[in-house]
């Protein structure tokens, strides 16, 4: 199948699902045009670097750790908010690489994860019908029709908040905060005394000793591998006007990159072969993620994969499966087998969050730690037995001490969800639950 020529606007000739109904089209166009003149958030060279690292993941030489909020919030665009998330991801990566024996590619759901697909355009709150909350870049979560009106000024604000987030991330990861001789300092106060926190302290001590030993025998430890962390950004490429505005031509190669983030993904609800999202993403050279849930059609997926990655380039495409613990063994074995038979170069990643969501008796949307772990275990076992690589994981998590997912070391119960349930969208693992999963992952990798 040969496709007509691509350009950054060609998606506009296709159906784009899950777009807000911007009431003021003129204001919307003005914002998009303004963003198109503003600097990119990331550079093509960084995007190419991530793709190379993901190619290593597809070959089993590295592990992908992707995580962050379900819906990033403007109000959490603060130094502590960003730092706490970064800390947990750095801790998880140290655990997985040190105890699991594989380099970890770290990718945040951050600096642009401001737009959400929803199951319905409107919802009824206290008897009043209003547009659904679609993420801070579109409308406000407050349950009033006024707050829920899509406002393009929020898209401009999203761009600037993403820039601000990116800026502090670059400072944290390059300016010494993420240095491996500071691993102890990443341990969160509320986690420190838990069994996970103590296991982490032990591991941090070992790393300290290794670095001290290197210094003792005269090796230089003032090197980027120790002093800096590489950290990439990602979000769902949902609002195509925003993505188009940040799509830029690389002056050194003439290629097009979506410079809103290093990696972008297509949600399970917007990956139609003939849809606008696939059309847009086929033309940018970023690493692309694609969510795959129980509703997939294997033949359509094969066509999508060829469309997105006609040269079968390793590192270009990550399939993020999200079947749920109960369904994964019904779907993943056949999917993995057929993709292997096609010879597709893929990174296989497991999203153990979105297939395990349910509403608790207390009325809160939640996920249970054991089911999350069960899906990850099944993911590893199925890939091992099919001869494909279990390449990574995709989590919704936060550095805050939230009570949004049940279970884990502290065994959060349904009736405790109310204590600190803060998410605007899906429930996230807290820092302690995240570390616990990282230790489990390290064991599976070993
Ligand atoms: C998400 O990652 O928050 C999401 C909406 O996932 P999915 O597309 O898998 O439903
Ligand atoms: Co989510």
């Amino acid at each position: 199948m040969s496709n007509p020529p691509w350009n950054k606007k060609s998606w506009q000739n296709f159906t784009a699902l899950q777009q807000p109904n911007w009431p003021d089209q003129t204001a919307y166009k003005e914002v998009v045009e303004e963003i198109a003149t503003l600097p990119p958030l990331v550079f093509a060279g960084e995007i190419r670097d991530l793709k190379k690292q993901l190619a290593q993941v597809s070959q089993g030489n590295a592990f992908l750790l992707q995580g962050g909020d379900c819906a990033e919030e403007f109000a959490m665009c603060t130094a502590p908010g960003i730092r706490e998330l970064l800390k947990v991801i750095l801790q998880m990566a140290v655990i997985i690489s040190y105890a699991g024996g594989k380099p970890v590619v770290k990718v945040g759901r951050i600096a642009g994860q401001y737009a959400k697909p929803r199951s319905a355009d409107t919802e009824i709150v206290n008897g009043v019908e209003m547009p659904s909350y679609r993420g801070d870049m579109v409308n406000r979560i407050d349950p009033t029709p006024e707050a829920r009106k899509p406002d393009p000024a929020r898209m401009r604000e999203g761009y600037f908040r993403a820039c601000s987030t990116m800026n502090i991330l670059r400072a944290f990861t390059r300016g010494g905060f993420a240095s491996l001789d500071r691993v102890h300092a990443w341990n969160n106060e509320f986690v420190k005394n838990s069994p996970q926190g103590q296991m982490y302290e032990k591991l941090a001590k070992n790393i300290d000793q290794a670095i001290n030993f290197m210094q003792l025998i005269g090796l230089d430890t003032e090197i980027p591998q120790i002093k800096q962390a590489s950290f990439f950004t990602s979000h769902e490429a949902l609002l195509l006007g925003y993505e188009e505005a940040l799509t830029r031509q690389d002056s050194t190669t003439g290629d097009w990159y979506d410079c809103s983030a290093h990696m972008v993904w297509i949600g399970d609800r917007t990956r139609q072969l003939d849809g606008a999202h696939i059309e847009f993403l086929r033309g940018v050279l970023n690493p692309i993620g694609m969510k795959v849930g129980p509703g997939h059609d294997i033949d359509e997926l094969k066509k999508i994969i060829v469309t997105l990655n006609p040269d079968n380039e390793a590192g270009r495409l990550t399939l993020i499966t999200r079947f749920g613990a109960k369904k994964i063994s019904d779907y993943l074995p056949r999917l993995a087998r057929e993709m292997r038979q096609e010879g597709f170069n893929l990174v296989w990643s497991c999203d153990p969050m979105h297939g395990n969501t349910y509403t608790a008796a207390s009325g809160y949307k939640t996920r249970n730690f054991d089911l999350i772990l069960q899906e990850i275990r099944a993911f590893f076992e199925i890939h091992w037995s099919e001869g494909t690589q279990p390449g990574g994981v995709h989590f919704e998590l936060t550095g805050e001490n939230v009570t949004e997912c049940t279970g884990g070391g502290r065994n959060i119960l349904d009736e405790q969800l109310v204590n600190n349930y803060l998410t605007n969208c899906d429930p996230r693992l807290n820092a302690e639950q995240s570390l616990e999963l990282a230790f489990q992952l390290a064991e599976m990798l070993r």
Side-chain angles (χ1 to χ4, degrees), residues 6 50 84 102 140 212 320 331 334 367 378 429 443:
W6 177 92
L50 173 59
E84 292 310 300
K102 261 192 198 183
R140 286 188 289 129
N212 285 342
I320 308 165
Y331 292 99
R334 170 159 178 234
R367 292 154 174 165
L429 298 159
E443 215 155 89

Side-chain angles (χ1 to χ4, degrees), residues 70 109 116 354 367 396 426:
C70 177
R109 283 175 67 114
K116 298 305 300 171
H354 289 88
R367 292 154 174 165
E396 288 182 342
D426 290 338

Side-chain angles (χ1 to χ4, degrees), residues 202-217:
K202 221 185 267 169
L203 185 146
K205 206 182 232 171
N206 290 339
I207 293 174
D208 273 350
Q209 281 173 350
I211 295 175
N212 285 342
F213 182 70
M214 285 168 72
Q215 287 166 340
L216 197 77
I217 61 173

Side-chain angles (χ1 to χ4, degrees), residues 70 109 116-117 236 265 267-269 291 322 354 396:
C70 177
R109 283 175 67 114
K116 298 305 300 171
E236 178 172 349
W265 76 85
D268 196 40
R269 286 166 250 211
K291 294 287 200 90
R322 29 90 85 223
H354 289 88
E396 288 182 342

Side-chain angles (χ1 to χ4, degrees), residues 3-21:
N3 288 302
W6 177 92
N7 65 60
K8 64 179 181 167
K9 291 181 188 299
S10 56
W11 65 269
Q12 296 180 9
N13 303 319
F14 296 76
T15 304
L17 297 184
Q18 296 284 346
Q19 303 302 292
N21 298 311

Side-chain angles (χ1 to χ4, degrees), residues 94-293:
V94 156
I95 294 167
I96 297 169
S97 56
Y98 188 86
K102 261 192 198 183
V104 173
V105 183
K106 301 177 280 294
V107 182
R109 283 175 67 114
I110 196 167
Q113 177 52 21
Y114 289 129
K116 298 305 300 171
R118 299 319 295 257
S119 46
D121 258 344
T122 61
E123 63 176 338
I124 293 174
V125 188
N126 302 326
V128 185
E129 186 175 20
M130 59 191 76
S132 302
Y133 169 67
R134 286 190 172 274
D136 274 7
M137 213 183 223
V138 176
N139 53 7
R140 286 188 289 129
I141 195 164
D142 314 45
T144 68
E146 190 45 36
R148 294 289 179 84
K149 210 162 89 180
D151 177 3
R154 300 188 70 85
M155 190 158 42
R156 178 194 291 111
E157 181 161 357
Y159 165 81
F160 285 114
R161 292 202 182 237
C163 287
S164 189
T165 303
M166 195 72 219
N167 184 56
I168 195 77
L169 281 172
R170 290 188 192 280
F172 281 145
T173 53
R174 314 238 166 117
F177 178 84
S179 178
L180 273 181
D181 50 23
R182 290 187 75 257
V183 277
H184 284 290
W186 305 338
N187 216 358
N188 194 308
E189 277 311 315
F190 84 85
V191 170
K192 234 173 215 163
N193 297 318
S194 69
Q196 288 73 38
Q198 291 183 353
M199 269 165 84
Y200 179 80
E201 284 292 319
K202 221 185 267 169
L203 185 146
K205 206 182 232 171
N206 290 339
I207 293 174
D208 273 350
Q209 281 173 350
I211 295 175
N212 285 342
F213 182 70
M214 285 168 72
Q215 287 166 340
L216 197 77
I217 61 173
L219 286 177
D220 183 9
T221 56
E222 297 292 313
I223 50 174
Q225 288 87 335
I226 288 183
K227 289 287 167 189
Q228 301 184 353
S230 78
F231 186 83
F232 298 97
T233 59
S234 71
H235 61 258
E236 178 172 349
L238 184 69
L239 299 186
L240 292 175
Y242 177 77
E243 303 303 332
E244 176 199 311
L246 285 163
T247 294
R248 310 293 163 88
Q249 193 168 25
D250 175 28
S251 56
T252 59
T253 59
D255 293 329
W256 291 89
Y257 290 89
D258 182 347
C259 297
S260 69
H262 300 109
M263 178 178 184
V264 284
W265 76 85
I266 318 174
D268 196 40
R269 286 166 250 211
T270 50
R271 50 164 183 75
Q272 300 72 26
L273 177 60
D274 56 356
H277 290 82
I278 298 289
E279 171 60 19
F280 173 73
L281 287 162
R282 80 180 168 93
V284 294
L285 297 194
N286 304 56
I288 303 292
M290 180 161 63
K291 294 287 200 90
V292 181

